[in-house]
């Protein structure tokens, strides 16, 4: 036999107060006498009453949930972004629903549809769709959103990003100063703006050094995982004129590459130098500590969530005074053993 659900009226009856008083004890506790609220909370605990968020949302017209859509939750970088966003949301009394698009524009569109159906307070999104079309339902429904990890020049959208062109340039400038003149770029899905920007930065560094674009040999991957890094290593080792250094679009690719080179008996950095991107926690913990371009992941999430909440509060008050901003953070190169070997 199914257990009877305890309702707010049951709590009111047991506590000897009105339903409105029970509701105020949750939503406006300062309006309820302390001894009355203590009695209500004791009844809530004894009966096992759980507030209905859906009912509360219908009454107030606002959700206490913020959605965060990332590219890949298996990547510790995105976990750090989520941690930063979650801390900012918690400070505002809100929760965060984290989902992953798996780098798929179609899955991104499906999740955006779900968020609009649920009428979440707002959405933080690391886009998989380069066109931005999947975000249109949010605009139509008036749901605030902030684009994360990508610069958006649209004056009607807030964004928080890291300058990936600078990041790519830092990585390859470092390899060039070590004497490398044959450099591979193990990249990811070409529809991701971050991948293109990091390539642009790498080519900028090569051009500034007076070298031809062919100095950079791209090895694209469909995924940005450790397994994909191992697969790219097999292609790298098969090249007739093998590069002496590799810039990887993220640390997971770099870790997979390092594993495969070790298994093949190729020394890092003596035979192949490696630079990753993101500076995840594992980058410094591997056998040959990884040089990496550090992104302030938690700060990225924190700032994005704060901007989203400010916009949501402004729209909730009917204000048109909210100013959209495009915040661009700067990366930094963290040099470790994996790239410290001069050639030539």
């Amino acid at each position: 036999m199914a257990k009877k659900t305890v309702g707010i009226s049951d709590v009111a009856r047991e506590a000897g107060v009105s339903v409105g008083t029970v509701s105020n004890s949750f939503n406006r506790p300062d309006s309820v006498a302390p001894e009355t609220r203590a009695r209500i909370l004791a009844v809530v605990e004894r009966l096992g009453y759980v507030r209905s968020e859906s009912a509360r949302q219908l009454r107030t017209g606002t959700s206490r949930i913020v959605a965060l859509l990332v590219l890949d939750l298996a990547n510790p970088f995105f976990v750090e972004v989520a941690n930063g966003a979650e801390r900012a949301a918690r400070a505002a009394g809100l929760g965060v629903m984290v989902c992953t698009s798996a780098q798929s524009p179609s899955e991104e569109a499906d999740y955006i549809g779900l968020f609009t159906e649920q009428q979440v307070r707002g959405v933080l999104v690391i886009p998989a769709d380069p066109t931005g079309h999947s975000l249109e339902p949010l605009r139509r429904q008036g749901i605030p959103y902030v684009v994360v990890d990508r610069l958006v020049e649209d004056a009607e959208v807030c964004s928080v990003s890291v300058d990936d062109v600078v990041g790519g340039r830092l990585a390859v400038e470092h390899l060039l100063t070590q004497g490398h003149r044959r450099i591979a770029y193990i990249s990811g899905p070409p529809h991701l703006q971050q991948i293109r920007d990091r390539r642009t930065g790498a080519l900028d560094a090569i051009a500034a050094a007076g070298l031809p674009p062919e100095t950079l040999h791209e090895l694209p991957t469909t995924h940005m995982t450790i397994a994909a890094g191992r697969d790219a290593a097999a292609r790298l080792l098969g090249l007739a004129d093998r590069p002496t250094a590799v810039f990887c679009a993220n640390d997971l690719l770099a870790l997979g590459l390092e594993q495969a080179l070790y298994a093949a008996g190729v020394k890092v950095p003596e035979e192949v130098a490696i630079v990753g991107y993101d500076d995840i926690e594992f980058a410094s913990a591997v056998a040959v500590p990884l040089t990496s371009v550090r992104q302030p992941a938690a700060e990225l999430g924190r700032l994005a969530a704060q901007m989203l909440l400010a916009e949501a509060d402004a729209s909730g008050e009917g204000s048109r005074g909210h100013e959209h901003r495009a915040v661009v953070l700067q990366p930094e190169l963290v040099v470790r053993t994996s790239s410290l070997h001069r050639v030539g």
Side-chain angles (χ1 to χ4, degrees):
M1 182 176 174
K3 184 178 179 180
K4 179 182 180 295
T5 301
V6 176
I8 191 171
S9 59
D10 298 313
V11 174
R13 183 171 56 255
E14 287 290 319
V17 297
S18 69
V19 168
T21 301
V22 176
S23 178
N24 285 339
S25 71
F26 292 123
N27 300 316
R28 295 192 299 128
D30 292 344
S31 68
V32 180
E35 60 274 15
T36 302
R37 187 166 188 267
R39 186 167 76 253
I40 291 170
L41 293 179
V43 172
V44 166
E45 179 70 21
R46 176 163 54 83
L47 296 182
Y49 169 68
V50 178
R51 298 172 69 192
S52 171
E53 174 61 22
S54 58
R56 190 206 66 81
Q57 186 172 335
L58 282 172
R59 290 194 304 274
T60 65
T62 58
S63 170
R64 295 176 61 244
I65 298 297
V66 169
L68 169 61
L69 185 59
V70 303
L71 296 175
D72 181 10
L73 274 175
N75 187 336
F77 168 74
F78 295 119
V79 175
E80 276 301 296
V81 172
N83 284 337
E86 194 270 343
R87 285 194 290 271
R90 286 271 306 215
L94 304 176
V96 178
M97 174 173 58
V98 183
C99 306
T100 176
S101 67
Q103 303 173 13
S104 166
S106 63
E107 290 196 33
E108 176 178 281
D110 289 343
Y111 272 118
I112 295 298
L114 175 64
F115 300 155
T116 56
E117 289 174 6
Q118 295 298 314
Q119 288 291 298
V120 296
R121 176 72 65 90
V123 177
L124 302 169
V125 57
I126 301 176
D129 181 358
T131 69
H133 291 162
S134 64
L135 303 179
E136 283 303 315
L138 298 176
R139 287 181 185 262
R140 290 195 300 268
Q141 294 294 321
I143 296 175
Y145 67 93
V146 173
V147 174
V148 186
D149 200 28
R150 183 186 298 176
L151 176 64
V152 177
E153 297 179 351
D154 186 341
E156 298 302 315
V157 177
C158 283
S159 67
V160 185
S161 62
V162 176
D163 195 330
D164 283 315
V165 174
V166 169
R169 186 166 67 242
L170 288 172
V172 174
E173 280 178 347
H174 170 66
L175 293 173
L176 292 171
T177 62
Q178 295 298 106
H180 297 283
R181 294 299 181 266
R182 299 192 309 280
I183 301 172
Y185 174 43
I186 297 180
S187 60
H191 65 271
L192 296 180
Q193 185 65 46
Q194 298 92 324
I195 300 303
R196 299 197 297 271
D197 285 348
R198 291 166 197 177
R199 182 196 304 111
T200 296
L203 290 171
D204 285 350
I206 287 169
L211 299 170
E214 296 76 30
T215 302
L216 190 72
H217 183 99
E218 185 168 359
L219 295 170
T221 64
T222 55
H223 300 284
M224 299 171 68
T225 61
I226 289 177
R230 289 194 291 261
D231 291 341
R235 285 183 281 153
L236 179 78
L237 294 173
L239 295 175
D241 192 14
R242 190 174 77 198
T244 60
V246 183
F247 168 40
C248 297
N250 78 357
D251 284 346
L252 296 184
L253 290 169
L255 295 176
L257 171 68
E258 186 175 316
Q259 283 182 0
L261 292 180
Y262 177 81
V266 177
K267 294 180 180 179
V268 176
E270 292 83 357
E271 295 178 77
V272 176
I274 303 175
V275 175
Y277 207 102
D278 292 338
D279 195 33
I280 62 176
E281 183 178 359
F282 302 123
S284 62
V286 290
V288 181
L290 180 66
T291 293
S292 185
V293 177
R294 175 179 294 166
Q295 298 198 82
E299 180 71 358
L300 201 68
R302 184 187 69 81
L303 281 175
Q306 289 178 342
M307 291 167 68
L308 180 69
L309 297 177
E311 182 175 354
D313 289 345
S315 62
E317 296 167 1
S319 171
R320 297 184 179 276
H322 177 73
E323 181 180 350
H324 293 288
R325 295 188 296 146
V327 176
V328 181
L329 305 177
Q330 293 301 308
E332 64 174 309
L333 183 71
V334 180
V335 178
R336 300 190 182 95
T337 311
S338 71
S339 64
L340 288 178
H341 179 75
R342 292 192 63 85
V343 298

